[in-house]
Amino acid sequence: MNQGTSLVGKDLGLGNALKFVEHESGLVQGVVSTPRVQGSFFLLGGHVAEFQPAGQEPVLFLSERAVFEEGKAIRGGIPVCLPWFGPKKNEAGEVDANAPSHGLVRTELWQVGSATLEDDVVSVSLEYQLEGLQLKNLVRFGTELSMSLSLLNESEQPAEIELALHTYFKVGDVASVKIQGLEQIGFLDQLSGQTWPATGEAIEFSEETDRIYHGDASRVVLVDPEKARRIKVDSQGSRSTVVWNPWIEKSKRMADFGDHEYPEMCCIETANIRPNQVRLGPGEGTEVSLKISVAPI
Ligand code: TA6
């Protein structure tokens, strides 16, 4: 029996701060509730789904058409994408049509390594063994949401890994938001394949946007005038950042995403991909960490 089902209804000694429930889909969901924060995560994909600090509206976007099913990725929250990003490609750059998008772990059941409560902050270690790669994601639900994803190559072979924390943010109107912190970094437009120099300006959205930035983006800020808030995305260990909004036509092509939902979200993804993929020799490890906090405009 998967550990998850044995957690449902179990008294972890954390009171109402963290309870495991059976979601309506049948999946095991960890529900966080303290005076500081409401949140949740699924064992499926070790997937943080909700984060709402006290006094704030939800910070993460979760599609109303999200599918909650083992083997499928949840549309929203913070998918963990590895060991590849996007479509899987071979050495020759040919796409493997049989391989799932964004790797192998966001559609698998993870385990809970530990769960603690201190000063109304819930910390939970979500863990998964991908062949010789040990994954541990220490997630802390407090006034801020933080996570530290560590990978350890326990095999005798080197491993080349792309990884991304594919965060979906909830916004008031994507056409009015600005993303600051990437002004000085050039980017690859994934839609045209064209590479562009740094624009010197904040990112704004007026069409489908799918950009990969390679460079230091340790502080990215999502300015949302509609919700009168700034979402600060601080990261360590990440050398790539992906910015995405599907806009109108791509939204219609995604069955697990409402046609009208694109104005309510944008993705800022904390990653190490493409030239910044990680190479781990036997016994070597790596870590990427992310902290999400909210401030008034
Ligand atoms: O966020 C960048 C991206 O690679 C986009 O190209 C889009 O495909 C998105 O991820 C969602 O991918 P998914 O496989 O979750 O539908």
Side-chain angles (χ1 to χ4, degrees):
M1 175 175 72
N2 174 277
Q3 175 211 47
T5 48
S6 66
L7 288 171
V8 174
K10 189 173 180 181
D11 180 1
L12 301 167
L14 304 183
N16 287 329
L18 174 61
K19 286 191 175 300
F20 285 92
V21 302
E22 185 175 327
H23 181 258
E24 61 186 15
S25 63
L27 290 180
V28 175
Q29 182 181 23
V31 179
V32 172
S33 178
T34 83
R36 285 181 187 276
V37 63
Q38 304 296 313
S40 82
F41 57 93
F42 287 87
L43 297 192
L44 178 65
H47 195 124
V48 172
E50 298 168 289
F51 166 55
Q52 183 172 6
Q56 284 292 343
E57 294 181 47
V59 175
L60 301 179
F61 168 85
L62 195 58
S63 173
E64 59 194 26
R65 296 176 62 174
V67 172
F68 298 89
E69 188 181 318
E70 206 174 323
K72 295 247 175 58
I74 298 170
R75 179 67 67 191
I78 308 180
V80 178
C81 304
L82 63 97
W84 62 80
F85 181 83
K88 185 180 183 183
K89 293 183 179 175
N90 61 21
E91 299 285 322
E94 296 152 339
V95 171
D96 176 349
N98 298 318
S101 169
H102 288 323
L104 298 168
V105 303
R106 64 175 184 165
T107 53
E108 299 296 323
L109 292 178
W110 290 42
Q111 305 268 322
V112 175
S114 63
T116 59
L117 172 66
E118 185 178 352
D119 189 20
D120 291 335
V121 175
V122 171
S123 298
V124 58
S125 176
L126 299 169
E127 303 176 1
Y128 186 73
Q129 191 75 30
L130 175 64
E131 295 145 11
L133 200 59
Q134 181 198 76
L135 309 180
K136 287 189 180 182
N137 195 10
L138 181 60
V139 184
R140 293 167 53 83
F141 290 88
T143 306
E144 300 167 341
L145 174 70
S146 69
M147 61 176 59
S148 291
L149 174 66
S150 61
L151 289 70
L152 175 63
N153 179 7
E154 297 174 318
S155 78
E156 299 298 314
Q157 304 304 320
E160 295 195 340
I161 300 146
E162 288 187 310
L163 62 92
L165 299 172
H166 193 302
T167 309
Y168 287 71
F169 290 101
K170 181 86 172 164
V171 299
D173 175 4
V174 75
S176 68
V177 307
K178 289 182 189 288
I179 296 178
Q180 300 168 340
L182 294 159
E183 295 86 345
Q184 306 311 319
I185 307 176
F187 63 90
L188 165 69
D189 180 334
Q190 288 224 91
L191 302 170
S192 66
Q194 200 161 348
T195 301
W196 295 91
T199 65
E201 295 177 356
I203 300 165
E204 296 183 68
F205 296 91
S206 58
E207 58 186 354
E208 181 179 354
T209 304
D210 195 346
R211 298 180 179 182
I212 300 178
Y213 293 78
H214 293 306
D216 171 28
S218 52
R219 159 63 59 97
V220 176
V221 180
L222 173 56
V223 182
D224 183 347
E226 289 270 318
K227 290 187 180 289
R229 71 182 183 187
R230 287 176 299 129
I231 298 176
K232 293 182 275 187
V233 185
D234 293 321
S235 62
Q236 286 184 327
S238 159
R239 295 176 295 283
S240 307
T241 305
V242 183
V243 173
W244 178 56
N245 182 279
W247 215 250
I248 299 167
E249 294 313 317
K250 175 128 187 180
S251 296
K252 292 176 184 171
R253 300 197 296 270
M254 296 192 292
D256 61 348
F257 188 90
D259 293 359
H260 62 280
E261 289 190 302
Y262 74 90
E264 304 166 25
M265 56 72 68
C266 70
C267 285
I268 301 172
E269 303 157 36
T270 305
N272 283 317
I273 60 176
R274 309 296 190 263
N276 290 322
Q277 72 173 357
V278 178
R279 182 182 172 81
L280 296 179
E284 290 185 339
T286 188
E287 184 173 285
V288 175
S289 61
L290 167 66
K291 183 176 72 176
I292 297 169
S293 54
V294 183
I297 269 192

